[in-house]
Structures are given as structure tokens and as C-alpha cells.
Amino acid sequence: MSIFEKSNSIIMFIQSSLFDASQFQKRKAPAQADFENKNLDVLIAFRDMVPRAFARLHKEIFSTIEPISQDKNLPSVVMSGFLKGELIKHFPQLCGHATKQRFQLTGAGNERIFIKKLDTQMRPSNIPTVDSVLIYNQLSNSHIDVFPNIFLGYTASEDWSDFTGVYAVCIDGEKTLWISDLMMLDDKNGSNIVTMPVQPIVPVSPKIKEGVVKIKKKAE
């Protein structure tokens, strides 16, 4: 059996073992306008974070690691780390349910907000696992935790030269319920996040250990 066939078999097994509706609670998706209004500060702040993360990606990573040495997942992994770091710094009170395995924010309506790179259809992509299939299909194995799953993400050009959009997305299985284009949001009240420019990297000269004497070159 090929790797592709094995992967399809795993996906089919996961899906067939999951979708017994009697075992799970359905999460109720919020109305798009309601979600935007309640979480405006986070959405506007995230919109400002994405270009800063891209600037850091090019300044700190692409300028250091030559293309031949870069793993194909490197840009998305680095972007994820930069965005998580900023969100934790500015919204620590919303990150209480984040884990090492899966980072998430808690929205104003107790939404579970996940950070993802989005594909050309503005949908998140993952290797199917029990957890990810549950998340994508708005299913919960808890009678208490029935709050909806929302994806906060960005799209990028194929060569990673720049980001092409920033969105909040709500999906239910194969169906996209709504897409919020964060570039179009009206920041009526103003975000409580101050935009911070990317600081240039200043090379630090290595320190000379005590007792080591510099030897001046003699002029020829």
C-alpha cells in the first residue's frame, strides 16, 4: 500500500469512527457580525500583527537561512510562532486554555479561536487527527464545552514574498459558514494595541575573554 493510500485509509477510519452524532455535542456557530463586534480589538490587533510577522520572517529568517536549507514548512511554522508570541504578549488573559499541542484564544463570547495559515479557499489545512476532525466539524465530546471554533488566519503568496489577506473564518465540515475579511473591518473605536515597528537587528561583536591580549598586525 502506498503512502497516499495509507493516508486516505487513516482519514476514512477517523471519519467513520467519529461521526456518530449521539457521541458528540454540536457547537453552535456565532453570527458573523456578532463575532466581529464582540472581538473587534483582537481582530484589529491580529490584522496589524500579520505584516509585522512577515517583516520579521524576511529580516530574521530568510536573510539568514539560504533557500536550499529551508524546509517547506519553515515559513508557516515561523509565522505561527511570531503571531503566537504577539498574541500572548498583548492578550495574556485570552490565552489561558492554550497548550503546547494546540494554541488557542478565548473570544469574548467564549469562542475557541485557533491561529492558522489559510489556503486559497480561505480554509485551514491540517493532517486529519481525531482532534482536528472534531474541530473542523464543530463537534464536542463535552456537554459543557460547546462554544464554537473560529479560525484566525492569513493567506500568503506562493513564494512567501508577502501576505495576501487576513481573515476570521467559521467552518462546519466541508461547508464555510462565513469569512470575515479583517482588512475591511472598520476600526470604529480604535484598537488598544499600539503598532510597533520591527526593530533592526544589530550584530553584536563577540566579547574577548579576560586574559586574552589583542595582537595588532604590523604594517607591511
Side-chain angles (χ1 to χ4, degrees), residues 27-203:
R27 300 178 183 275
K28 185 178 180 180
Q32 180 177 353
D34 188 48
F35 175 79
E36 291 175 355
N37 291 333
K38 288 182 177 178
N39 296 281
L40 184 62
D41 275 348
V42 175
L43 300 181
I44 295 296
F46 183 77
R47 182 180 71 185
D48 295 340
M49 291 175 186
V50 171
R52 292 203 296 270
F54 259 87
R56 290 187 63 189
L57 175 69
H58 283 263
K59 185 182 292 291
E60 300 175 27
I61 305 301
F62 287 168
S63 63
T64 304
I65 304 176
E66 58 185 351
I68 196 173
S69 301
Q70 295 176 13
D71 181 89
K72 67 177 182 178
N73 295 322
L74 176 66
S76 59
V77 172
V78 170
M79 282 290 294
S80 177
F82 287 157
L83 293 171
K84 288 177 184 177
E86 284 217 48
L87 288 166
I88 292 170
K89 183 188 303 182
H90 295 298
F91 299 99
Q93 73 280 10
L94 305 183
C95 301
H97 294 291
T99 65
K100 290 183 178 180
Q101 291 74 29
R102 197 178 296 278
F103 178 79
Q104 69 180 69
L105 301 171
T106 301
N110 286 317
E111 304 92 349
R112 304 185 339 151
I113 304 174
F114 301 96
I115 311 302
K116 293 293 295 181
K117 178 184 181 298
L118 306 173
D119 63 20
T120 56
Q121 303 301 313
M122 271 69 82
R123 291 179 61 89
S125 58
N126 268 99
I127 297 174
T129 63
V130 171
D131 284 342
S132 67
V133 172
L134 284 174
I135 291 171
Y136 284 18
N137 287 275
Q138 298 287 354
L139 294 174
S140 173
N141 55 9
S142 168
H143 290 277
I144 300 174
D145 178 17
V146 291
F147 302 107
N149 299 320
I150 307 294
F151 292 96
L152 201 55
Y154 63 93
T155 54
S157 56
E158 190 173 348
D159 61 358
W160 285 91
S161 59
D162 204 356
F163 69 97
T164 55
V166 188
Y167 306 92
V169 181
C170 184
I171 66 173
D172 187 350
E174 296 299 317
K175 184 178 181 181
T176 298
L177 302 179
W178 51 257
I179 299 173
S180 176
D181 185 346
L182 303 192
M183 305 304 292
M184 301 298 291
L185 281 184
D186 182 12
D187 187 7
K188 297 176 183 176
N189 303 317
S191 173
N192 59 2
I193 297 300
V194 178
T195 300
M196 299 179 298
V198 178
Q199 297 297 321
I201 300 173
V202 180

Side-chain angles (χ1 to χ4, degrees), residues 12-27:
M12 291 175 65
F13 172 75
I14 291 174
Q15 292 179 334
S16 64
S17 62
L18 281 177
F19 292 103
D20 178 355
S22 64
Q23 296 181 30
F24 303 98
Q25 303 298 312
K26 193 69 176 177
R27 300 178 183 275

